[in-house]
Amino acid sequence: MKVTKICCIGAGYVGGPTMAVIAQKCPHIQVTVVDLNAERIAAWNDADTNNIPVYEPGLAEIVAAARGKNLFFSTEVDAAIDAAEMIFISVNTPTKTYGKGKGMAADLKYIELCARQIARVSKDNKIVVEKSTLPVRTAEALKSILDHTGNGVQFQILSNPEFLAEGTAVPDLMEPDRVLIGGDPSFEGQKAIDALVAIYANWVPLEKILRTNVWSSELSKLTANAFLAQRISSINALSELCEKTGADVNEVAKAIGMDSRIGPKFLKASVGFGGSCFQKDILNLVYIAKSYGLHEVADYWEQVIIMNDHQKRRFSGKIVRTLYNTVADKKIAFLGWAFKKDTNDTRESAAIFVADDLIYEQANIAVYDPKVSEERILADLDYLDHRAIDKNKKRVHSYYDPYAACEGAHAIAVLTEWDEFRDLDWQRIFDSMQKPAFVFDGRNLLDGATLKEIGFVYEGIGS
Ligand SMILES: NC(=O)c1ccc[n+]([C@@H]2O[C@H](COP(=O)([O-])OP(=O)(O)OC[C@H]3O[C@@H](n4cnc5c(N)ncnc54)[C@H](O)[C@@H]3O)[C@@H](O)[C@H]2O)c1
């Protein structure tokens, strides 16, 4: 089957960038991204592409070039499904907040709604592609819903998990390490895989496109995130030991990272990982293992999350302890709120948890993040902890200028590794702060020696 029209359900951090790149690389294919969220779609259609809802370096330019030509954003979900030969499901799969598996299993209600909608609307055969990260064997449930429509339409289900990392989504999509496509071993299944391979082959070398069975593909995505997060928790576990022993975690990371069997990536000690995926996907893996009765497997992976929670708590605890065991009514400046640099995504950001702990201790928080609004910050805190009305609003303010955020502060906490923080005028900041002036560098981003020369009390992670 030669695909000429694609529909993607879900215009979020994955659906938006992925489809923009497919549209750019495949001018012969019409790509329509649909979402129930009308505000989000309006933002994707904003005349000024700097206002699109996802911030990723390079993305605004790609959207500007393709939008209105072969890239469309719409709320007309039914029409887009009907017209497309291939439908990507890119909706969110958060951790369940209710019922069985609460706090651990993936909530598949959005996925199921999509399947039912596709089943209801489709009049001709279609390929349905799982782009969302899903528990292994979800395709079975999708197939069961799609195959019981009674209207004779044939569906092929493929798993094509997305490995992009926020902040580097555009280069990750342009030059992926690999593209993974899982499909049914039948003749029809293999033909569906061929159709998706033909799309990626427009810019990805064939040897980087892997074909597997559906279950391997679904499980590989959860596994990739679990392994990446495990590296972070491993180095963070050692950061605490370094602080006790006089070893320096940066030196340890460098020494072990030069071992080619270990490699240098994902070995930076920090206040802990955030983002919408790592925690949710590991919990999902843990839940699946538990549901098969594999308790040792579940416990092994759960420890990655336990370590991460500990690291966030340890950071806020250190701030309180160092500031003479009280932060009540002290101003603490936060540099960064996003879960990592070069994204406006704040889901599960370590900053939220550190702020929550400090608000509990009645500190005042002044946030500067180049891409995150005060509205977003308050929404994140309100979601985590429904304090008495307006309590977060009284304690937390955001600033458009890092110097204003730091002025008069007792301490600065670096929560996101934005490059621009390195280039601030640190002498000017020091002069404007309460003394002694503390910097708690939750990302080991700054040059501690220089800051100490200026007069700061500098506390990195793991040294
Ligand atoms: N964010 C990442 O870095 C990343 C990377 C790889 C994979 N993933 C996976 O991709 C999936 C999507 O993640 P995201 O970060 O893009 O989520 P997101 O929340 O940013 O976007 C999901 C979108 O789907 C829309 N939606 C939900 N149900 C819908 C429906 N029935 N019809 C139409 N629209 C609907 C929502 O309104 C939302 O805009 C998740 O499964 C996630 O685990 C995410």
Side-chain angles (χ1 to χ4, degrees), residues 9-16 34-37 40 54 77 89-94 109-111 113-114 117 131-134 161-166 221 225 276-277 280-281 339 345 347:
I9 309 180
Y13 282 87
V14 167
V34 292
D35 205 294
L36 296 172
N37 183 336
R40 212 167 206 187
V54 170
V77 184
I89 302 183
S90 219
V91 301
N92 37 333
T93 47
K109 72 177 172 208
Y110 305 107
I111 294 284
L113 282 173
C114 286
Q117 193 159 7
K131 190 54 126 172
S132 297
T133 304
L134 298 169
E162 185 47 60
F163 292 100
L164 70 78
E166 287 176 34
K221 174 63 196 179
N225 277 351
S276 65
C277 295
K280 144 178 107 65
D281 293 349
F339 86 93
D345 196 350
R347 289 176 286 183

Side-chain angles (χ1 to χ4, degrees), residues 20-307:
V21 168
I22 290 185
Q24 190 203 41
K25 298 291 186 183
C26 310
H28 53 287
I29 298 179
Q30 183 180 314
V31 180
T32 306
V33 191
V34 292
D35 205 294
L36 296 172
N37 183 336
E39 218 179 297
R40 212 167 206 187
I41 291 296
W44 279 110
N45 283 323
D46 197 293
D48 179 355
T49 47
N50 289 315
N51 297 332
I52 55 176
V54 170
Y55 173 71
E56 280 291 339
L59 180 62
E61 293 78 4
I62 296 175
V63 172
R67 200 179 57 189
K69 294 194 182 95
N70 67 329
L71 176 66
F72 302 90
F73 294 92
S74 163
T75 50
E76 308 273 314
V77 184
D78 282 3
I81 291 174
D82 184 28
E85 296 115 10
M86 184 177 275
I87 301 160
F88 287 79
I89 302 183
S90 219
V91 301
N92 37 333
T93 47
T95 304
K96 267 184 95 174
T97 53
Y98 55 89
K100 191 162 176 247
K102 177 179 171 181
M104 201 166 257
D107 190 343
L108 297 179
K109 72 177 172 208
Y110 305 107
I111 294 284
E112 178 165 343
L113 282 173
C114 286
R116 291 187 184 279
Q117 193 159 7
I118 295 169
R120 178 170 53 74
V121 170
S122 298
K123 299 200 267 302
D124 48 15
N125 297 350
K126 299 199 188 291
I127 299 171
V128 176
V129 185
E130 296 176 340
K131 190 54 126 172
S132 297
T133 304
L134 298 169
V136 56
R137 294 201 83 89
T138 304
E140 202 167 43
L142 284 184
K143 190 161 173 46
S144 163
I145 293 168
L146 291 170
D147 282 353
H148 287 87
T149 56
N151 54 9
V153 173
Q154 299 289 314
F155 293 98
Q156 276 303 323
I157 300 169
L158 300 179
S159 161
N160 172 222
E162 185 47 60
F163 292 100
L164 70 78
E166 287 176 34
T168 51
V170 171
D172 291 347
L173 288 163
M174 295 284 194
E175 284 181 50
D177 287 346
R178 59 18 193 127
V179 167
L180 180 57
I181 305 176
D184 196 79
S186 65
F187 178 70
E188 290 76 19
Q190 295 302 307
K191 272 201 343 200
I193 295 183
D194 289 342
L196 186 51
V197 169
I199 293 175
Y200 283 110
N202 285 291
W203 76 98
V204 180
L206 278 179
E207 62 274 14
K208 289 194 170 184
I209 306 180
L210 302 182
R211 305 164 70 118
T212 66
N213 78 34
V214 186
W215 321 128
S216 303
S217 173
E218 286 178 339
L219 187 56
S220 295
K221 174 63 196 179
L222 292 182
T223 307
N225 277 351
F227 271 62
L228 291 171
Q230 184 195 45
R231 284 177 70 97
I232 301 178
S233 277
S234 297
I235 198 72
N236 282 345
L238 289 164
S239 73
E240 193 170 12
L241 187 56
C242 286
E243 287 169 23
K244 295 279 184 224
T245 56
D248 180 328
V249 77
N250 296 319
E251 292 174 352
V252 173
K254 187 167 181 194
I256 64 168
M258 283 172 75
D259 185 325
S260 60
R261 294 165 303 176
I262 298 174
K265 293 180 180 165
F266 269 67
L267 277 185
K268 185 136 183 122
S270 72
V271 55
F273 59 76
S276 65
C277 295
F278 280 2
Q279 170 152 324
K280 144 178 107 65
D281 293 349
I282 297 170
L283 287 173
N284 189 347
L285 193 65
V286 169
Y287 184 74
I288 294 168
K290 278 193 177 156
S291 67
Y292 284 107
L294 309 178
H295 298 291
E296 291 78 4
V297 179
D299 292 349
Y300 178 78
W301 287 107
E302 192 169 15
Q303 196 58 38
V304 175
I305 305 280
I306 293 171
M307 185 61 227

